[in-house]
Amino acid sequence: MKNSNRKTIMILALIALFAFPMFASGKAESTATATTPAADHTFLYVSQQLVNTIDPAKVKDETEIITAVNLYDPLFYPDVANNSMDPVAHIATGYTVNDSGTVYTMQIRSDVKFQSGNPLTAADVAYSMQRMIAINQGNAWLWSNILVSVTAPDATTVVFTLKSPYAPFISSLTQLFIVDSALLKANQAAGDFGENGDYGQAYIAEHSAGSGPYILSDWNRQSYLDFTAFEGYWKGWTDGQIKKVKMQTILEEATVKTLLVSGQADMVHQWLAVSAFADMAKNENVKVIAAPSAKLQYFPMNTQLAPTDDINVRKAIAYAIDYDSALQDILGGANPAAGAVPTVVPGHADSIKPLTQNIDLAKEYLAKSKYAGQDLSVTFMYLADTVEQRQFSQLVTANLAAIGIKVVPKPVTWAQVVQAAASPETTANMTVISDSLKYPHVDSHTYGIYHSSAAKSYRSMSWYTTPEMDKVLEDARKATVPSEQKALYEKSQIMATEAFPAVYLANPTHRVAMRTNVEGYTYVGLMGYDISFYSLRLK
C-alpha cells in the first residue's frame, strides 16, 4: 500500500496498534465424502435467528451481516489469508492520507462488475456511503458524526473527507458494503431523499444489488434464504466451491442437531448450547470447531428504568450473580469478562478485573439504594428458543432472590429484542446480549456501545451515555499519538465499568459445527465474516 507522507505512516501505526491475529480453526475429528459434486449440492446452513433485513445500509446483527458478506463486497476485508483480522484492501487497492489525517484518497479496483453487469466504480462507493448516512440505520453511526463528504473525482478514485482524525476509519470500512447505484436509481420509489427517492430501499429489501459471490434467488422471511453463485464474480471460482446455499431458520435446537447429525444439514450456527455441541461431536461425520472469541456476553441494565436507574441496585445485581456457574455450567468453560472490551482485544484496559459473586456486598449496596426496604422486581429479557439464555434466566432468578429482588422473565424472539432496544421505555431492566466484534478495533466495544450516537441498538440497551463519556470517546478517535489513543480508550472502559451499566459476564468460546466433508472454515472473529460460503469447499 503506497503512502504519501509520514502522517500516513502514523495512521497505519495506529491501525496496527489495535490489530490482532485471528483465532485458529479447530481440528476435524473425521472426514466424509460428499455424495454429489459441490456445484450441484445445495449447502444447508442452519440458524435459529431470522434475517430481518438484507439491505447493507441496515444490517447490524450476525445473520444480517452474513447476508451482506455473501451478497456484497466491502472496501476492506479481514486478512484471512494471513490469519489476521487486520483490514486489508478488497475493493479498495490502496490509499493515502493527508497531513492532518482527515482526507483519505482511495483507489479502487477497475475489474469488478455487479451482478447486474454494471461496472463497479468509485461513484458506487460514494453513493453507498451517502446512502448509509442518509438512511441512518445499521452501522451508519460509524461515520455519521465524522464524515464531511465523500466524492468520486474519477472512476477509480474516491475521496473521504473527515471532520477530524478518526482512529478506526480503515477498520470501519469492513462494514461499508458497495451497492449498485445504477440499479437502485433505476428501481427507486418515491421517498424522503430528494432526487434519490427512497434510495432504492423497497427494491433492495427483496433483491440483492451487489458484486459479491452470491445472488439472492429466493427469500421466505419466516423460513429461509436461497443463494446461487454469481458466475461473474471478480475473484473467480474453482472446483469444490459451493454454488448453491440455503440459509434455513429452525427454532428448535433438537431439530437443528438432528439435521446436522443425519446429514441433511451441512453446517449449523454458533448459538447452540454447549451440551448440543458436545452431543454432535460424538458423531463421526460431524466436527465441532472451537476457538477463543472476541465476543462479549453481558446483561445490559437499563439505567433509565426503575429500579436499575439506581447505581447501587445495579451494583447489588452485579455482585449477586454466580459467575462460576454461568461460566462453567452454562457456557462450558468460558473466560470471564473484564468490562465491555473482550480481554483478547488489544487496547483492553488490564486494570479492569472480572467480578466474582459476593452476596454480602450485594446486600450492602442494595441497602444504600433509594429503593432500600421496598419490594423490588426487575424484568429479564432473553431468547426463548435458546437453551443457554433460558438457563441464564433461571440462574439470575435464583441469584437475585437471594438478595430480595424478584425477577420477571420475558422470553422473546430476537426480532422483539431489536424492537425493544428502540427506547428506554420498551427496554427491559436486564437483557441477555452476546456482542461480537463489529470491526477490528477496540473502538467497536467502547464507542460502539457507550457513545450517545450508538443508542437505540441492542448493544446499547443499558441506555448509559454521558457528555463526559462522549468526549473521551471522541478524543480517543481523534488522537494521532498511539499512547494517547490507548490511554483514552482505556479511560472510557474504566468510566463505563465504574458506572455498572451491565453485568459483564463472559468472553465465550466460539463453537460451530459442520459435516466433516466441509473444508475451508476459519473463525475470523469479526461478526458474520466467518460464514463466508465462498471460502468453503466440499470434499
Side-chain angles (χ1 to χ4, degrees), residues 318-351:
Y319 280 104
I321 301 300
D322 184 349
Y323 294 90
D324 286 343
S325 290
L327 295 171
Q328 301 305 321
D329 300 336
I330 298 177
L331 293 174
N335 294 323
V341 176
T343 56
V344 299
V345 178
H348 171 266
D350 293 335
S351 62

PDB file of all heavy atoms in Angstrom, residues 318-351:
ATOM      1  N   ALA A 318     -25.002  -6.940  40.115  1.00  0.00           N
ATOM      2  CA  ALA A 318     -23.738  -7.426  39.557  1.00  0.00           C
ATOM      3  C   ALA A 318     -23.000  -8.340  40.536  1.00  0.00           C
ATOM      4  O   ALA A 318     -22.411  -9.360  40.125  1.00  0.00           O
ATOM      5  CB  ALA A 318     -22.850  -6.246  39.173  1.00  0.00           C
ATOM      6  N   TYR A 319     -23.039  -8.015  41.840  1.00  0.00           N
ATOM      7  CA  TYR A 319     -22.337  -8.838  42.824  1.00  0.00           C
ATOM      8  C   TYR A 319     -23.150 -10.060  43.255  1.00  0.00           C
ATOM      9  O   TYR A 319     -22.605 -10.971  43.883  1.00  0.00           O
ATOM     10  CB  TYR A 319     -21.944  -8.003  44.035  1.00  0.00           C
ATOM     11  CG  TYR A 319     -20.691  -7.190  43.803  1.00  0.00           C
ATOM     12  CD1 TYR A 319     -20.758  -5.824  43.559  1.00  0.00           C
ATOM     13  CD2 TYR A 319     -19.441  -7.798  43.787  1.00  0.00           C
ATOM     14  CE1 TYR A 319     -19.608  -5.076  43.320  1.00  0.00           C
ATOM     15  CE2 TYR A 319     -18.280  -7.062  43.549  1.00  0.00           C
ATOM     16  CZ  TYR A 319     -18.369  -5.710  43.317  1.00  0.00           C
ATOM     17  OH  TYR A 319     -17.225  -4.969  43.070  1.00  0.00           O
ATOM     18  N   ALA A 320     -24.436 -10.087  42.909  1.00  0.00           N
ATOM     19  CA  ALA A 320     -25.262 -11.241  43.280  1.00  0.00           C
ATOM     20  C   ALA A 320     -25.126 -12.402  42.302  1.00  0.00           C
ATOM     21  O   ALA A 320     -25.496 -13.537  42.617  1.00  0.00           O
ATOM     22  CB  ALA A 320     -26.729 -10.820  43.371  1.00  0.00           C
ATOM     23  N   ILE A 321     -24.575 -12.148  41.124  1.00  0.00           N
ATOM     24  CA  ILE A 321     -24.529 -13.171  40.077  1.00  0.00           C
ATOM     25  C   ILE A 321     -23.480 -14.239  40.393  1.00  0.00           C
ATOM     26  O   ILE A 321     -22.341 -13.941  40.766  1.00  0.00           O
ATOM     27  CB  ILE A 321     -24.213 -12.527  38.714  1.00  0.00           C
ATOM     28  CG1 ILE A 321     -25.284 -11.481  38.355  1.00  0.00           C
ATOM     29  CG2 ILE A 321     -24.108 -13.591  37.629  1.00  0.00           C
ATOM     30  CD1 ILE A 321     -26.683 -12.015  38.247  1.00  0.00           C
ATOM     31  N   ASP A 322     -23.857 -15.482  40.205  1.00  0.00           N
ATOM     32  CA  ASP A 322     -22.938 -16.605  40.372  1.00  0.00           C
ATOM     33  C   ASP A 322     -22.172 -16.805  39.065  1.00  0.00           C
ATOM     34  O   ASP A 322     -22.575 -17.572  38.183  1.00  0.00           O
ATOM     35  CB  ASP A 322     -23.732 -17.868  40.731  1.00  0.00           C
ATOM     36  CG  ASP A 322     -22.839 -19.070  41.022  1.00  0.00           C
ATOM     37  OD1 ASP A 322     -21.630 -18.985  40.751  1.00  0.00           O
ATOM     38  OD2 ASP A 322     -23.365 -20.095  41.505  1.00  0.00           O
ATOM     39  N   TYR A 323     -21.062 -16.094  38.940  1.00  0.00           N
ATOM     40  CA  TYR A 323     -20.284 -16.111  37.699  1.00  0.00           C
ATOM     41  C   TYR A 323     -19.706 -17.493  37.416  1.00  0.00           C
ATOM     42  O   TYR A 323     -19.649 -17.911  36.252  1.00  0.00           O
ATOM     43  CB  TYR A 323     -19.165 -15.061  37.767  1.00  0.00           C
ATOM     44  CG  TYR A 323     -19.682 -13.640  37.808  1.00  0.00           C
ATOM     45  CD1 TYR A 323     -19.949 -13.008  39.019  1.00  0.00           C
ATOM     46  CD2 TYR A 323     -19.922 -12.941  36.624  1.00  0.00           C
ATOM     47  CE1 TYR A 323     -20.433 -11.704  39.053  1.00  0.00           C
ATOM     48  CE2 TYR A 323     -20.413 -11.637  36.648  1.00  0.00           C
ATOM     49  CZ  TYR A 323     -20.667 -11.026  37.876  1.00  0.00           C
ATOM     50  OH  TYR A 323     -21.156  -9.749  37.899  1.00  0.00           O
ATOM     51  N   ASP A 324     -19.263 -18.181  38.434  1.00  0.00           N
ATOM     52  CA  ASP A 324     -18.672 -19.501  38.218  1.00  0.00           C
ATOM     53  C   ASP A 324     -19.661 -20.456  37.559  1.00  0.00           C
ATOM     54  O   ASP A 324     -19.322 -21.184  36.625  1.00  0.00           O
ATOM     55  CB  ASP A 324     -18.179 -20.094  39.542  1.00  0.00           C
ATOM     56  CG  ASP A 324     -16.905 -19.424  40.035  1.00  0.00           C
ATOM     57  OD1 ASP A 324     -16.244 -18.750  39.219  1.00  0.00           O
ATOM     58  OD2 ASP A 324     -16.589 -19.560  41.230  1.00  0.00           O
ATOM     59  N   SER A 325     -20.897 -20.449  38.048  1.00  0.00           N
ATOM     60  CA  SER A 325     -21.903 -21.330  37.450  1.00  0.00           C
ATOM     61  C   SER A 325     -22.201 -20.934  36.012  1.00  0.00           C
ATOM     62  O   SER A 325     -22.354 -21.794  35.140  1.00  0.00           O
ATOM     63  CB  SER A 325     -23.198 -21.287  38.277  1.00  0.00           C
ATOM     64  OG  SER A 325     -23.021 -21.908  39.526  1.00  0.00           O
ATOM     65  N   ALA A 326     -22.271 -19.627  35.770  1.00  0.00           N
ATOM     66  CA  ALA A 326     -22.545 -19.159  34.412  1.00  0.00           C
ATOM     67  C   ALA A 326     -21.430 -19.562  33.457  1.00  0.00           C
ATOM     68  O   ALA A 326     -21.687 -20.060  32.349  1.00  0.00           O
ATOM     69  CB  ALA A 326     -22.724 -17.647  34.406  1.00  0.00           C
ATOM     70  N   LEU A 327     -20.185 -19.363  33.886  1.00  0.00           N
ATOM     71  CA  LEU A 327     -19.046 -19.628  33.016  1.00  0.00           C
ATOM     72  C   LEU A 327     -18.829 -21.115  32.778  1.00  0.00           C
ATOM     73  O   LEU A 327     -18.535 -21.538  31.660  1.00  0.00           O
ATOM     74  CB  LEU A 327     -17.780 -19.013  33.614  1.00  0.00           C
ATOM     75  CG  LEU A 327     -17.752 -17.479  33.713  1.00  0.00           C
ATOM     76  CD1 LEU A 327     -16.543 -17.027  34.524  1.00  0.00           C
ATOM     77  CD2 LEU A 327     -17.710 -16.850  32.333  1.00  0.00           C
ATOM     78  N   GLN A 328     -18.965 -21.911  33.833  1.00  0.00           N
ATOM     79  CA  GLN A 328     -18.641 -23.334  33.725  1.00  0.00           C
ATOM     80  C   GLN A 328     -19.855 -24.181  33.352  1.00  0.00           C
ATOM     81  O   GLN A 328     -19.812 -24.952  32.393  1.00  0.00           O
ATOM     82  CB  GLN A 328     -18.045 -23.829  35.060  1.00  0.00           C
ATOM     83  CG  GLN A 328     -16.790 -23.091  35.494  1.00  0.00           C
ATOM     84  CD  GLN A 328     -15.689 -23.105  34.439  1.00  0.00           C
ATOM     85  OE1 GLN A 328     -15.477 -24.118  33.761  1.00  0.00           O
ATOM     86  NE2 GLN A 328     -14.989 -21.997  34.293  1.00  0.00           N
ATOM     87  N   ASP A 329     -20.940 -24.030  34.083  1.00  0.00           N
ATOM     88  CA  ASP A 329     -22.083 -24.916  33.893  1.00  0.00           C
ATOM     89  C   ASP A 329     -22.913 -24.570  32.660  1.00  0.00           C
ATOM     90  O   ASP A 329     -23.452 -25.458  31.993  1.00  0.00           O
ATOM     91  CB  ASP A 329     -22.983 -24.892  35.132  1.00  0.00           C
ATOM     92  CG  ASP A 329     -22.255 -25.350  36.389  1.00  0.00           C
ATOM     93  OD1 ASP A 329     -21.256 -26.088  36.255  1.00  0.00           O
ATOM     94  OD2 ASP A 329     -22.666 -24.956  37.503  1.00  0.00           O
ATOM     95  N   ILE A 330     -23.044 -23.266  32.377  1.00  0.00           N
ATOM     96  CA  ILE A 330     -23.873 -22.859  31.243  1.00  0.00           C
ATOM     97  C   ILE A 330     -23.045 -22.666  29.975  1.00  0.00           C
ATOM     98  O   ILE A 330     -23.418 -23.148  28.900  1.00  0.00           O
ATOM     99  CB  ILE A 330     -24.658 -21.561  31.576  1.00  0.00           C
ATOM    100  CG1 ILE A 330     -25.601 -21.804  32.763  1.00  0.00           C
ATOM    101  CG2 ILE A 330     -25.449 -21.089  30.351  1.00  0.00           C
ATOM    102  CD1 ILE A 330     -26.367 -20.569  33.210  1.00  0.00           C
ATOM    103  N   LEU A 331     -21.900 -21.990  30.100  1.00  0.00           N
ATOM    104  CA  LEU A 331     -21.105 -21.657  28.923  1.00  0.00           C
ATOM    105  C   LEU A 331     -19.977 -22.647  28.651  1.00  0.00           C
ATOM    106  O   LEU A 331     -19.222 -22.491  27.694  1.00  0.00           O
ATOM    107  CB  LEU A 331     -20.535 -20.238  29.068  1.00  0.00           C
ATOM    108  CG  LEU A 331     -21.580 -19.118  29.045  1.00  0.00           C
ATOM    109  CD1 LEU A 331     -20.929 -17.767  29.331  1.00  0.00           C
ATOM    110  CD2 LEU A 331     -22.302 -19.069  27.700  1.00  0.00           C
ATOM    111  N   GLY A 332     -19.833 -23.651  29.494  1.00  0.00           N
ATOM    112  CA  GLY A 332     -18.890 -24.728  29.208  1.00  0.00           C
ATOM    113  C   GLY A 332     -17.435 -24.341  29.260  1.00  0.00           C
ATOM    114  O   GLY A 332     -16.620 -24.825  28.469  1.00  0.00           O
ATOM    115  N   GLY A 333     -17.076 -23.461  30.189  1.00  0.00           N
ATOM    116  CA  GLY A 333     -15.675 -23.102  30.359  1.00  0.00           C
ATOM    117  C   GLY A 333     -15.264 -21.831  29.656  1.00  0.00           C
ATOM    118  O   GLY A 333     -14.149 -21.735  29.139  1.00  0.00           O
ATOM    119  N   ALA A 334     -16.132 -20.820  29.652  1.00  0.00           N
ATOM    120  CA  ALA A 334     -15.807 -19.547  29.010  1.00  0.00           C
ATOM    121  C   ALA A 334     -14.861 -18.725  29.881  1.00  0.00           C
ATOM    122  O   ALA A 334     -14.765 -18.928  31.094  1.00  0.00           O
ATOM    123  CB  ALA A 334     -17.093 -18.748  28.762  1.00  0.00           C
ATOM    124  N   ASN A 335     -14.178 -17.780  29.251  1.00  0.00           N
ATOM    125  CA  ASN A 335     -13.342 -16.846  30.000  1.00  0.00           C
ATOM    126  C   ASN A 335     -14.205 -15.764  30.621  1.00  0.00           C
ATOM    127  O   ASN A 335     -15.151 -15.283  29.990  1.00  0.00           O
ATOM    128  CB  ASN A 335     -12.303 -16.201  29.079  1.00  0.00           C
ATOM    129  CG  ASN A 335     -11.288 -17.188  28.561  1.00  0.00           C
ATOM    130  OD1 ASN A 335     -10.876 -18.089  29.275  1.00  0.00           O
ATOM    131  ND2 ASN A 335     -10.891 -17.035  27.309  1.00  0.00           N
ATOM    132  N   PRO A 336     -13.895 -15.334  31.860  1.00  0.00           N
ATOM    133  CA  PRO A 336     -14.688 -14.268  32.473  1.00  0.00           C
ATOM    134  C   PRO A 336     -14.449 -12.937  31.773  1.00  0.00           C
ATOM    135  O   PRO A 336     -13.322 -12.638  31.350  1.00  0.00           O
ATOM    136  CB  PRO A 336     -14.174 -14.235  33.914  1.00  0.00           C
ATOM    137  CG  PRO A 336     -12.780 -14.778  33.841  1.00  0.00           C
ATOM    138  CD  PRO A 336     -12.824 -15.816  32.757  1.00  0.00           C
ATOM    139  N   ALA A 337     -15.506 -12.144  31.644  1.00  0.00           N
ATOM    140  CA  ALA A 337     -15.368 -10.811  31.055  1.00  0.00           C
ATOM    141  C   ALA A 337     -14.797  -9.854  32.090  1.00  0.00           C
ATOM    142  O   ALA A 337     -15.062  -9.979  33.285  1.00  0.00           O
ATOM    143  CB  ALA A 337     -16.723 -10.311  30.569  1.00  0.00           C
ATOM    144  N   ALA A 338     -14.023  -8.892  31.608  1.00  0.00           N
ATOM    145  CA  ALA A 338     -13.480  -7.835  32.462  1.00  0.00           C
ATOM    146  C   ALA A 338     -13.828  -6.511  31.806  1.00  0.00           C
ATOM    147  O   ALA A 338     -13.036  -5.933  31.067  1.00  0.00           O
ATOM    148  CB  ALA A 338     -11.976  -7.997  32.636  1.00  0.00           C
ATOM    149  N   GLY A 339     -15.050  -6.055  32.037  1.00  0.00           N
ATOM    150  CA  GLY A 339     -15.524  -4.853  31.378  1.00  0.00           C
ATOM    151  C   GLY A 339     -16.078  -5.149  29.999  1.00  0.00           C
ATOM    152  O   GLY A 339     -16.256  -6.301  29.597  1.00  0.00           O
ATOM    153  N   ALA A 340     -16.333  -4.067  29.254  1.00  0.00           N
ATOM    154  CA  ALA A 340     -17.039  -4.186  27.983  1.00  0.00           C
ATOM    155  C   ALA A 340     -16.185  -4.721  26.851  1.00  0.00           C
ATOM    156  O   ALA A 340     -16.700  -5.284  25.887  1.00  0.00           O
ATOM    157  CB  ALA A 340     -17.617  -2.828  27.585  1.00  0.00           C
ATOM    158  N   VAL A 341     -14.876  -4.535  26.920  1.00  0.00           N
ATOM    159  CA  VAL A 341     -13.992  -4.952  25.830  1.00  0.00           C
ATOM    160  C   VAL A 341     -13.485  -6.364  26.092  1.00  0.00           C
ATOM    161  O   VAL A 341     -12.918  -6.631  27.157  1.00  0.00           O
ATOM    162  CB  VAL A 341     -12.805  -3.983  25.681  1.00  0.00           C
ATOM    163  CG1 VAL A 341     -11.832  -4.478  24.610  1.00  0.00           C
ATOM    164  CG2 VAL A 341     -13.306  -2.579  25.322  1.00  0.00           C
ATOM    165  N   PRO A 342     -13.672  -7.295  25.166  1.00  0.00           N
ATOM    166  CA  PRO A 342     -13.138  -8.647  25.353  1.00  0.00           C
ATOM    167  C   PRO A 342     -11.645  -8.615  25.657  1.00  0.00           C
ATOM    168  O   PRO A 342     -10.899  -7.816  25.073  1.00  0.00           O
ATOM    169  CB  PRO A 342     -13.432  -9.324  24.009  1.00  0.00           C
ATOM    170  CG  PRO A 342     -14.636  -8.605  23.495  1.00  0.00           C
ATOM    171  CD  PRO A 342     -14.452  -7.180  23.913  1.00  0.00           C
ATOM    172  N   THR A 343     -11.227  -9.479  26.546  1.00  0.00           N
ATOM    173  CA  THR A 343      -9.854  -9.419  27.039  1.00  0.00           C
ATOM    174  C   THR A 343      -8.815  -9.729  25.970  1.00  0.00           C
ATOM    175  O   THR A 343      -7.648  -9.355  26.118  1.00  0.00           O
ATOM    176  CB  THR A 343      -9.663 -10.384  28.224  1.00  0.00           C
ATOM    177  OG1 THR A 343     -10.036 -11.707  27.825  1.00  0.00           O
ATOM    178  CG2 THR A 343     -10.524  -9.956  29.404  1.00  0.00           C
ATOM    179  N   VAL A 344      -9.201 -10.401  24.870  1.00  0.00           N
ATOM    180  CA  VAL A 344      -8.235 -10.717  23.817  1.00  0.00           C
ATOM    181  C   VAL A 344      -8.011  -9.551  22.864  1.00  0.00           C
ATOM    182  O   VAL A 344      -7.130  -9.614  22.004  1.00  0.00           O
ATOM    183  CB  VAL A 344      -8.667 -11.954  23.006  1.00  0.00           C
ATOM    184  CG1 VAL A 344      -8.770 -13.182  23.889  1.00  0.00           C
ATOM    185  CG2 VAL A 344      -9.974 -11.694  22.265  1.00  0.00           C
ATOM    186  N   VAL A 345      -8.792  -8.487  22.987  1.00  0.00           N
ATOM    187  CA  VAL A 345      -8.667  -7.351  22.073  1.00  0.00           C
ATOM    188  C   VAL A 345      -7.573  -6.409  22.567  1.00  0.00           C
ATOM    189  O   VAL A 345      -7.674  -5.872  23.671  1.00  0.00           O
ATOM    190  CB  VAL A 345     -10.002  -6.584  21.962  1.00  0.00           C
ATOM    191  CG1 VAL A 345      -9.845  -5.366  21.051  1.00  0.00           C
ATOM    192  CG2 VAL A 345     -11.099  -7.493  21.429  1.00  0.00           C
ATOM    193  N   PRO A 346      -6.518  -6.174  21.785  1.00  0.00           N
ATOM    194  CA  PRO A 346      -5.521  -5.186  22.189  1.00  0.00           C
ATOM    195  C   PRO A 346      -6.184  -3.835  22.430  1.00  0.00           C
ATOM    196  O   PRO A 346      -7.027  -3.392  21.650  1.00  0.00           O
ATOM    197  CB  PRO A 346      -4.579  -5.133  20.979  1.00  0.00           C
ATOM    198  CG  PRO A 346      -4.698  -6.489  20.370  1.00  0.00           C
ATOM    199  CD  PRO A 346      -6.141  -6.861  20.535  1.00  0.00           C
ATOM    200  N   GLY A 347      -5.811  -3.202  23.520  1.00  0.00           N
ATOM    201  CA  GLY A 347      -6.470  -1.973  23.928  1.00  0.00           C
ATOM    202  C   GLY A 347      -7.391  -2.199  25.101  1.00  0.00           C
ATOM    203  O   GLY A 347      -7.903  -1.240  25.683  1.00  0.00           O
ATOM    204  N   HIS A 348      -7.628  -3.486  25.464  1.00  0.00           N
ATOM    205  CA  HIS A 348      -8.406  -3.769  26.672  1.00  0.00           C
ATOM    206  C   HIS A 348      -7.681  -3.186  27.876  1.00  0.00           C
ATOM    207  O   HIS A 348      -6.456  -3.296  27.999  1.00  0.00           O
ATOM    208  CB  HIS A 348      -8.573  -5.278  26.853  1.00  0.00           C
ATOM    209  CG  HIS A 348      -9.176  -5.661  28.174  1.00  0.00           C
ATOM    210  ND1 HIS A 348      -8.414  -5.993  29.268  1.00  0.00           N
ATOM    211  CD2 HIS A 348     -10.473  -5.722  28.581  1.00  0.00           C
ATOM    212  CE1 HIS A 348      -9.199  -6.252  30.290  1.00  0.00           C
ATOM    213  NE2 HIS A 348     -10.451  -6.104  29.896  1.00  0.00           N
ATOM    214  N   ALA A 349      -8.436  -2.559  28.776  1.00  0.00           N
ATOM    215  CA  ALA A 349      -7.862  -1.961  29.988  1.00  0.00           C
ATOM    216  C   ALA A 349      -7.564  -3.066  30.992  1.00  0.00           C
ATOM    217  O   ALA A 349      -8.473  -3.606  31.632  1.00  0.00           O
ATOM    218  CB  ALA A 349      -8.810  -0.936  30.581  1.00  0.00           C
ATOM    219  N   ASP A 350      -6.287  -3.401  31.156  1.00  0.00           N
ATOM    220  CA  ASP A 350      -5.912  -4.523  32.018  1.00  0.00           C
ATOM    221  C   ASP A 350      -6.164  -4.256  33.489  1.00  0.00           C
ATOM    222  O   ASP A 350      -6.167  -5.194  34.302  1.00  0.00           O
ATOM    223  CB  ASP A 350      -4.438  -4.872  31.802  1.00  0.00           C
ATOM    224  CG  ASP A 350      -4.179  -5.439  30.408  1.00  0.00           C
ATOM    225  OD1 ASP A 350      -5.132  -5.987  29.807  1.00  0.00           O
ATOM    226  OD2 ASP A 350      -3.043  -5.329  29.919  1.00  0.00           O
ATOM    227  N   SER A 351      -6.377  -2.995  33.851  1.00  0.00           N
ATOM    228  CA  SER A 351      -6.666  -2.684  35.260  1.00  0.00           C
ATOM    229  C   SER A 351      -8.061  -3.138  35.657  1.00  0.00           C
ATOM    230  O   SER A 351      -8.375  -3.243  36.849  1.00  0.00           O
ATOM    231  CB  SER A 351      -6.537  -1.176  35.502  1.00  0.00           C
ATOM    232  OG  SER A 351      -7.481  -0.454  34.717  1.00  0.00           O
TER     233      SER A 351
END
